[in-house]
Amino acid sequence: MTRRVTKAVFPVAGMGTRFLPATKAVPKEILTLVDRPLIQYAIDEARAAGITEFIFVTSRGKSALEDYFDLAPELESKLEKSGKTELLEILRSTNMESGAIAYIRQHQALGLGHAVWCARRLIGDEPFAVILPDDVISAEVPCLQQMVEAHAETGGNMVAAMEVPREKVSAYGVLDVAEVRGRVLKVRGMVEKPPVDKAPSQLAVIGRYILTPKVLENLGQMRKGAGGEIQLTDAIAAEIGSSDGIYGLRFQGQRFDCGSKAGFLQATLAFGLARPDLRDDLMEFVEDVVAARRAAQ
Ligand code: UTP
């Protein structure tokens, strides 16, 4: 039987250069979509999937993240006294159980694979999830939950996969698929950031993974891949042909690349329009802006 996945790694040690100057002082994961930081969406998704241990791989300048997960007793009592029960509920829903979060440092930004490897001692000998908070996924059933359910059937390693336009493949890890079983894909190859003409498909890997401890062992070899970084994709790809194998899940939902400015703005708009308290005003504003632009053309 496949072991239940209860640990998730959140690699948040990157420098977030695409959001400079904001990320000079604020970690990218604290930037907000409407009123929730990116990291909160990632935590909520992990919790929905049954994760109970949350491992953050951080770096210098990320202390705002640790503060974010502290309790805020002064704030809570102020809201309580002033009868702001709705806000109090929202605030309390972000509280984490004592001891559920661990922070580990990646001392040098040697790549995503290296960041995950830094968490090896906290992961131990069991399957674990990796969530990149940059990828925000709006879905009826949260993406990691879809993966945990599929993984219970397949075991092995699983990555979240989505179709991307041909000209964008070189920005992703790309799958070579051997077999399609509904939404589950049996993978026979994986290439990180291939040139468009060398990409085996248009199925890109995005920031959700369920991995075996063997991948940590592979990472321990410290092989540099694309961009001179220690790539997670390469350590997963090394499992092709092993008894564990690799599966892709074409998840249901809409993914926003909040590591890019365009993706972040699109997510802000989509999440704003999904909020009943904001929808009408925002929609009216967007329609006015679009009409004014059209008139000016
Ligand atoms: P990105 O490639 O988006 O890099 O990392 P970044 O530093 O976050 O952002 P830019 O490109 O400079 O704007 C993808 C994920 O991997 C983590 C990042 O924190 C992010 O969650 N990461 C990347 C690490 O934790 N360590 C690394 O050495 C590299």
Side-chain angles (χ1 to χ4, degrees), residues 2-292:
T2 309
R3 190 161 167 183
R4 229 162 57 86
V5 184
T6 59
K7 293 182 180 176
V9 179
F10 301 83
V12 290
M15 288 187 270
T17 52
R18 282 171 288 174
F19 280 92
L20 281 170
T23 43
K24 225 171 109 182
V26 185
K28 178 170 63 173
E29 301 74 24
I30 292 289
L31 300 179
T32 55
L33 291 179
V34 188
D35 48 15
R36 295 168 91 72
L38 291 184
I39 196 66
Q40 188 64 53
Y41 291 92
I43 289 280
D44 290 348
E45 187 180 326
R47 279 171 149 173
I51 299 296
T52 51
E53 289 183 57
F54 306 81
I55 303 164
F56 285 85
V57 183
T58 70
S59 59
R60 208 172 312 135
K62 298 278 178 165
S63 48
L65 263 172
E66 298 190 30
D67 292 343
Y68 177 77
F69 288 110
D70 262 347
L71 296 184
E74 302 88 355
L75 209 49
E76 284 194 21
S77 78
K78 196 164 174 218
L79 293 175
E80 205 159 15
K81 275 189 201 128
S82 53
K84 294 188 171 156
T85 45
E86 225 173 283
L87 280 177
L88 186 62
E89 289 278 299
I90 290 172
L91 186 63
R92 285 194 173 142
S93 71
T94 65
N95 289 350
M96 303 291 284
E97 197 198 331
S98 291
I101 303 188
Y103 302 94
I104 199 126
R105 286 244 170 164
Q106 184 191 27
H107 295 119
Q108 275 179 291
L110 298 180
L112 171 61
H114 180 259
V116 171
W117 177 80
C118 288
R120 67 201 177 280
R121 294 203 178 87
L122 294 170
I123 296 164
D125 192 24
E126 56 184 284
F128 61 99
V130 176
I131 296 188
L132 305 191
D134 288 8
D135 278 332
V136 176
I137 300 164
S138 156
E140 222 162 274
V141 177
C143 179
L144 190 64
Q145 188 181 336
Q146 296 177 40
M147 291 175 73
V148 164
E149 284 165 9
H151 181 259
E153 304 291 323
T154 61
N157 296 284
M158 180 165 279
V159 299
M162 67 178 254
E163 195 105 22
V164 296
R166 186 130 201 100
E167 66 278 10
K168 298 240 168 104
V169 285
S170 54
Y172 294 90
V174 178
L175 297 180
D176 187 359
V177 175
E179 196 188 320
V180 178
R181 304 178 197 157
R183 296 203 157 264
V184 176
L185 315 165
K186 178 91 176 112
V187 173
R188 67 169 161 226
M190 249 173 114
V191 206
E192 184 63 31
K193 303 193 171 60
V196 175
D197 56 330
K198 297 246 165 61
S201 74
Q202 284 170 245
L203 283 165
V205 175
I206 60 114
R208 303 287 183 276
Y209 311 78
I210 298 176
L211 303 174
T212 61
K214 185 69 195 344
V215 172
L216 295 174
E217 233 179 278
N218 300 344
L219 285 169
Q221 294 174 7
M222 300 288 155
R223 288 217 185 95
K224 288 191 180 149
E229 296 196 342
I230 297 168
Q231 297 286 357
L232 186 58
T233 305
D234 296 343
I236 301 170
E239 289 304 291
I240 286 161
S242 74
S243 54
D244 289 330
I246 306 174
Y247 300 87
L249 180 74
R250 292 178 64 145
F251 59 95
Q252 287 177 296
Q254 190 177 7
R255 172 259 189 179
F256 296 94
D257 174 12
C258 292
S260 78
K261 284 184 268 245
F264 194 93
L265 288 171
Q266 287 159 13
T268 301
L269 190 57
F271 280 72
L273 288 173
R275 287 268 295 258
D277 55 332
L278 301 172
R279 189 169 42 212
D280 294 347
D281 282 353
L282 188 55
M283 194 63 203
E284 201 181 310
F285 173 75
V286 171
E287 280 168 355
D288 286 352
V289 171
V290 172

